[in-house]
Amino acid sequence: MSVIRFLARPMLASSFIVAGLDKLRNADDTAKQLSPVLRRASESLPFKTDEKTLARVIGGAQLGAGALLGLGKLSRFAATVLAVTSALNSYVEWRSADISTKEGRSARKAQLLKNISLTGGVLLASVDTAGQPSIAWRAEHLAADAKKVTGKQIKRADKAVRKAVDNAVGA
């Protein structure tokens, strides 16, 4: 892992870890803030759940994915989870912000830009292969190498069979 990744991942993850802890500690406030979205989500789930539980799940997901990203473990998956939660938070915070004053509108704009920036950062992290080829690239090249090796082996086997036939005919 490069020095940049070693430093950048925990820096990016720290915001999500703190937000996840805050959501877990203040599940009632989080459920209240996320209520319009969580109500629809809980109605569409095949099992019964309440908004407070979903708020805790989102907080736990942010905390866990943030920790994984910070540690560099399953970082692409973790970054994808964080991108989804960040987009959700961006929408909810933008929708619930106080815009009755000029300061409120300015704070809403600043918060939206921060959330969009964090979402962009974790989207980049979700496609970062850390200098290693992706799984799709590896599979494609493994198949090509196997095809090449198999072709060489078939040619050798064909040559050996022809030689054996020539020896049998000549004997």
Side-chain angles (χ1 to χ4, degrees), residues 57-153:
V57 168
I58 291 170
Q62 275 189 311
L63 176 63
L68 286 172
L69 180 64
L71 294 170
K73 304 294 181 192
L74 299 171
S75 55
R76 292 177 69 191
F77 171 74
T80 303
V81 170
L82 293 174
V84 170
T85 62
S86 180
L88 173 68
N89 286 338
S90 298
Y91 171 73
V92 170
E93 287 178 9
W94 177 78
R95 191 170 179 264
S96 65
D98 177 28
I99 56 170
S100 61
T101 64
K102 185 177 181 180
E103 293 81 21
R105 288 188 295 275
S106 179
R108 177 185 182 187
K109 182 180 175 182
Q111 188 69 16
L112 179 64
L113 289 173
K114 179 199 72 118
N115 286 336
I116 289 172
S117 298
L118 284 172
T119 303
V122 291
L123 280 174
L124 281 173
S126 72
V127 296
D128 179 29
T129 60
Q132 300 295 319
S134 69
I135 292 174
W137 185 92
R138 290 178 193 186
E140 181 181 317
H141 282 76
L142 181 63
D145 290 345
K147 184 178 178 181
K148 196 184 304 183
V149 167
T150 304
K152 287 179 183 177
Q153 290 175 342

Side-chain angles (χ1 to χ4, degrees), residues 14-33:
S14 65
S15 176
F16 293 101
I17 292 170
V18 170
L21 279 172
D22 186 50
K23 281 181 178 56
L24 287 173
R25 286 185 186 145
N26 305 311
D28 292 327
D29 295 338
T30 302
K32 184 179 172 185
Q33 185 183 27

